[in-house]
Amino acid sequence: MSRSASARANRRGEPPPSPEPLPSPALDSHTHLDIVLGERPAGDEHGEWASDDDVDAEIAAAVAVNVPRLVQVGVDVPSSRWSAALAARHPNVLAAVALHPNEAGAGKATDDALAEIDRLAALPRVRAVGETGLDRYRTGPEGWAAQEASFRAHIRIAKDRDVALVIHDRDAHDEILRVLDDEGAPQHTVFHCFSGDAAFARACVSRGFVLSFAGTLTFGNAANLRAAAALTPVDQLLVETDAPFLTPMPYRGRPNASRLVPHTVRALAEVTGVDLDELCQSLTATAERVFGSWDDRS
């Protein structure tokens, strides 16, 4: 999710307490630690960034609840550089880099910006291009062509660099599939914060895509997401926070963090009927299939 006034609103209030640790290690496949710890204006290379000590403490809190693997996601050139640098220094973190579709819709997917995303995607600890895709909610029709051109460019970068593709899809299900079918999806394609219904889930699953569920799975009005998760094969499931956004129940509206992902994992176990320990192991195996090993420093 891109930086906006909603980020500031979602960070108000005290952070929720840490939940009971998971029985086996799991992961947060999509977080924005830079926004969690010190929001910086989008595109501002020289604005305030979170300190290393704060970042390390946030990661340690996740490790303490058995969430030792995080994917830190960029949404513009500066945050993508920061994400790549964090992954290079921290063994618990891998990075994804991209220009968010709303950045593209605002005219920021320039040739130079895309060239920098391509350069970053070649770094050893950068294992995905994303979040990229289409957003028909925050960007009006005047920006849709630019979004699609940027999305297509990101797909090509992911395939050229042989890394995963992480998709942001908001109110654009059919258009996303049209572009993926036209371009040819990378081997590993993840729908970040899956937001579709059962029919859309079937269309994604049949194409071999991975569906990542966030705290929205726990919301009372999210029966469509629970139906989608229930029909998804366990080896095509991931979990995420999208922190600091989309905090799971019972803490909806308070700041989210990677250490809260156990709430979503437990909800996913209930929805799918998969034993919690087995689900944690499957989520980890799927993450390492999609993103590679966190232990690989080469």
Side-chain angles (χ1 to χ4, degrees):
M1 184 175 289
S2 61
R3 297 177 181 82
S4 66
S6 66
R8 290 185 289 276
N10 203 37
R11 292 172 60 215
R12 292 173 184 159
E14 291 297 318
S18 293
E20 179 182 352
L22 291 167
S24 290
L27 78 150
D28 182 355
S29 72
H30 193 114
T31 187
H32 302 281
L33 283 164
D34 51 326
I35 309 178
V36 169
L37 293 169
E39 187 182 355
R40 177 189 55 82
D44 180 3
E45 182 87 56
H46 305 293
E48 182 179 353
W49 291 94
S51 72
D52 285 354
D53 287 347
D54 287 344
V55 172
D56 291 349
E58 193 72 19
I59 294 169
V63 172
V65 296
N66 227 355
V67 181
R69 297 172 180 84
L70 282 66
V71 180
Q72 161 63 26
V73 179
V75 296
D76 56 18
V77 167
S79 64
S80 292
R81 288 172 176 158
W82 188 87
S83 300
L86 175 62
R89 80 166 180 84
H90 210 295
N92 298 86
V93 178
L94 296 176
V97 298
L99 309 172
H100 190 281
N102 291 329
E103 295 285 304
K108 297 180 180 178
T110 64
D111 289 346
D112 286 347
L114 288 166
E116 179 64 358
I117 296 302
D118 181 48
R119 184 190 72 82
L120 292 169
L123 297 175
R125 299 283 288 178
V126 174
R127 305 290 180 77
V129 168
E131 58 188 279
T132 182
L134 303 174
D135 189 310
R136 299 315 197 216
Y137 180 77
R138 294 195 181 279
T139 295
E142 70 281 356
W144 291 357
Q147 278 193 351
E148 182 168 325
S150 176
F151 184 26
R152 289 177 181 273
H154 281 78
I155 292 170
R156 293 166 191 155
I157 292 170
K159 291 197 291 188
D160 288 348
R161 297 302 185 185
D162 194 24
V163 295
L165 182 74
V166 174
I167 292 177
H168 172 104
D169 165 22
R170 189 161 188 183
D171 297 345
H173 302 331
D174 292 342
E175 294 93 335
I176 291 277
L177 291 184
R178 172 179 57 80
V179 174
L180 288 171
D181 289 346
D182 187 40
E183 289 286 337
Q187 180 181 4
H188 300 299
T189 297
V190 179
F191 273 74
H192 138 65
C193 188
F194 184 79
S195 60
D197 59 11
F200 186 58
R202 289 189 185 95
C204 293
V205 165
S206 69
R207 289 166 167 82
F209 302 154
V210 173
L211 311 187
S212 181
F213 288 88
T216 45
L217 183 75
T218 71
F219 294 177
N221 62 351
N224 62 318
L225 296 182
R226 290 185 282 275
L231 65 83
T232 303
V234 69
D235 63 352
Q236 288 177 255
L237 288 170
L238 284 174
V239 291
E240 64 175 87
T241 58
D242 198 25
F245 312 97
L246 308 181
T247 309
M249 297 296 289
Y251 303 108
R252 184 177 182 178
R254 292 170 68 178
N256 204 0
S258 294
R259 61 186 173 76
L260 299 181
V261 84
H263 291 294
T264 304
V265 175
R266 289 187 166 94
L268 190 60
E270 182 175 347
V271 166
T272 60
V274 177
D275 173 77
L276 180 60
D277 184 69
E278 180 184 344
L279 179 60
C280 291
Q281 294 178 47
S282 179
L283 292 169
T284 296
T286 298
E288 295 207 332
R289 185 180 79 244
V290 170
F291 301 114
S293 173
W294 270 252
D295 294 333
D296 185 358
R297 306 294 297 175
S298 61

